Amino acid sequence: MLKLQFQNQLIECGTDEAGRGCLSGPVTAAAVILPVNFKNDLLNDSKQLNEKKRLILREIIQREAVAYAVAHVMMDEIDKINILNASILAMHKAVEKLKPQPEFIAVDGNKFKPYKDLKHQCVVKGDAKYMNIAAASVLAKTARDDFMQKISEEFPVYDWHKNKGYPTQAHRKAILEYGSTKYHRQSFKLLPEQLKMEF
């Protein structure tokens, strides 16, 4: 079982994002404060879990967390400020929504900008080490998947209900055939060079 959190002196939230490597859709972050007695053997980095387990865990986290919040940063903002800054902004937005506010932030990954005057710690692969970060990874992933499922109904040719906006062969083929949409990140390389030339 993962450790609950990074430190024990202050009220801590874990935060993580989903969708950084996608060609379409928002980058989505979540922040979670778990109770000190929280235990769950199933909880892990959302990438290690199948969809069914993620949905079971989402219910448990939402029911048992002291506080949780999710925030999207949309495609136009990603194009303006770049994906790294957009990911950090999404985490800030999620933390901002928490009630109570945390006193310490445990961040998945190695890059973060200070949020207000709160202490923080970046943890590489933190979603596989700490439950509060893993919980945030589950909420961010499931919320983003829901968003992609919804917009897939609007543009079914891109297969977003399956690929969630990641650069799969089917997704790239659809971009080649139908062009991009308002949900695509225009600052991203939507097609490899050789495919552009063939077009």
Side-chain angles (χ1 to χ4, degrees), residues 88-173:
I88 293 169
L89 177 61
M91 291 192 221
H92 281 197
K93 282 174 178 267
V95 172
E96 191 175 19
K97 289 184 187 178
L98 291 176
K99 287 187 178 68
Q101 278 284 283
E103 300 164 326
F104 186 96
I105 307 169
V107 184
D108 184 62
N110 61 355
K111 296 268 195 316
F112 194 67
K113 291 176 183 169
Y115 171 76
K116 296 187 175 171
D117 55 357
L118 298 192
K119 294 178 177 175
H120 73 267
Q121 177 65 48
C122 291
V123 185
V124 175
K125 295 192 168 40
D127 48 7
K129 294 172 184 168
Y130 297 104
M131 281 197 270
N132 57 2
I133 301 179
S137 86
V138 167
L139 294 193
K141 171 76 176 139
T142 51
R144 190 179 183 283
D145 285 358
D146 287 351
F147 183 97
M148 296 309 293
Q149 188 77 34
K150 200 170 169 202
I151 64 171
S152 186
E153 292 164 22
E154 198 180 335
F155 292 99
V157 294
Y158 298 94
D159 241 7
W160 289 331
H161 62 292
K162 286 188 192 160
N163 63 49
K164 307 299 190 277
Y166 282 92
T168 60
Q169 215 170 347
H171 189 183
R172 286 225 154 111
K173 190 166 178 274

Side-chain angles (χ1 to χ4, degrees), residues 6-59:
F6 184 79
Q7 54 76 60
N8 299 311
Q9 284 78 47
L10 303 167
I11 298 169
E12 178 177 309
C13 78
T15 186
D16 196 6
E17 51 66 36
R20 265 179 77 164
C22 296
L23 303 180
S24 56
V27 62
T28 304
V32 180
I33 300 172
L34 291 173
V36 290
N37 59 351
F38 184 84
K39 285 185 173 61
N40 190 293
D41 291 331
L42 185 60
L43 186 55
N44 201 345
D45 163 16
S46 65
K47 295 184 287 297
Q48 307 297 323
L49 303 165
N50 62 32
E51 188 175 11
K52 190 181 171 189
K53 285 179 180 170
R54 285 196 295 264
L55 292 172
I56 291 167
L57 281 164
R58 170 162 72 176
E59 277 189 34

Side-chain angles (χ1 to χ4, degrees), residues 18-20 22-28 72-87 89 144 183-188:
R20 265 179 77 164
C22 296
L23 303 180
S24 56
V27 62
T28 304
H72 298 297
V73 169
M74 294 300 172
M75 299 66 61
D76 55 343
E77 190 76 7
I78 293 169
D79 289 336
K80 262 185 237 159
I81 64 174
N82 82 38
I83 189 61
L84 174 62
N85 287 323
S87 300
L89 177 61
R144 190 179 183 283
Y183 296 113
H184 282 96
R185 302 171 182 178
Q186 300 306 322
S187 58
F188 277 48

